[in-house]
Amino acid sequence: QVQLVESGGGLVQAGGSLRLSCAASGSIFSVNVMDWYRQAPGKQRELVAGITSGGSTNYADSLKGRFTISRDVAKTTVYLQMNSLKPEDTGVYYCYAEITTYGRGLLKIWGQGTLVTVSS
């Protein structure tokens, strides 16, 4: 009924930039929140950034200033602009959304993830 499709991951040199995107599609009435998480091998999945339907944003303290989260005017696509990338930013980045659907109420769904690799 609703799915999240992520794109934008890849290989980048330290100090470079990437822009990730996550597009929600399906029977969507409204989007309550969209977040970015990441997970490196052997580490817990951690919140990177989040944005509410009202536009309020939240960032991990260590990432604030380098990463920026935003959404399109329809609030169905979320972006993560990543600047000054470091090798420790390497991991799988996941999109998470809470979406009110037509007929099924509130859904909490994850994207499939996109791999970001930052080389030294």
Side-chain angles (χ1 to χ4, degrees), residues 5-16:
V5 179
E6 298 159 310
S7 62
L11 176 65
V12 64
Q13 293 181 331

Side-chain angles (χ1 to χ4, degrees), residues 81-120:
Q81 179 66 47
M82 305 186 294
N83 298 325
S84 302
L85 284 164
K86 305 173 182 178
E88 52 263 43
D89 294 321
T90 294
V92 179
Y93 285 69
Y94 298 91
C95 181
Y96 169 82
E98 296 182 357
I99 298 171
T100 300
T101 66
Y102 291 108
R104 287 191 60 88
L106 183 68
L107 295 182
K108 300 179 180 181
I109 57 175
W110 290 88
Q112 75 281 5
T114 184
L115 178 63
V116 172
T117 303
V118 184
S119 63
S120 300

Side-chain angles (χ1 to χ4, degrees), residues 4-27:
L4 302 177
V5 179
E6 298 159 310
S7 62
L11 176 65
V12 64
Q13 293 181 331
S17 298
L18 284 174
R19 187 176 186 240
L20 308 182
S21 64
C22 174
S25 62
S27 185

Side-chain angles (χ1 to χ4, degrees), residues 1-99:
Q1 184 172 318
V2 176
Q3 64 178 19
L4 302 177
V5 179
E6 298 159 310
S7 62
L11 176 65
V12 64
Q13 293 181 331
S17 298
L18 284 174
R19 187 176 186 240
L20 308 182
S21 64
C22 174
S25 62
S27 185
I28 299 171
F29 176 75
S30 64
V31 178
N32 180 263
V33 62
M34 299 187 80
D35 297 337
W36 284 101
Y37 289 76
R38 71 181 182 185
Q39 187 169 25
K43 298 182 67 177
Q44 292 182 304
R45 187 173 298 186
E46 63 178 349
L47 177 68
V48 175
I51 187 166
T52 69
S53 61
S56 297
T57 57
N58 181 58
Y59 298 91
D61 289 341
S62 62
L63 303 178
K64 195 170 186 178
R66 294 195 298 121
F67 289 14
T68 303
I69 190 170
S70 62
R71 294 200 293 195
D72 67 351
V73 67
K75 300 179 180 179
T76 54
T77 302
V78 64
Y79 305 95
L80 184 68
Q81 179 66 47
M82 305 186 294
N83 298 325
S84 302
L85 284 164
K86 305 173 182 178
E88 52 263 43
D89 294 321
T90 294
V92 179
Y93 285 69
Y94 298 91
C95 181
Y96 169 82
E98 296 182 357
I99 298 171

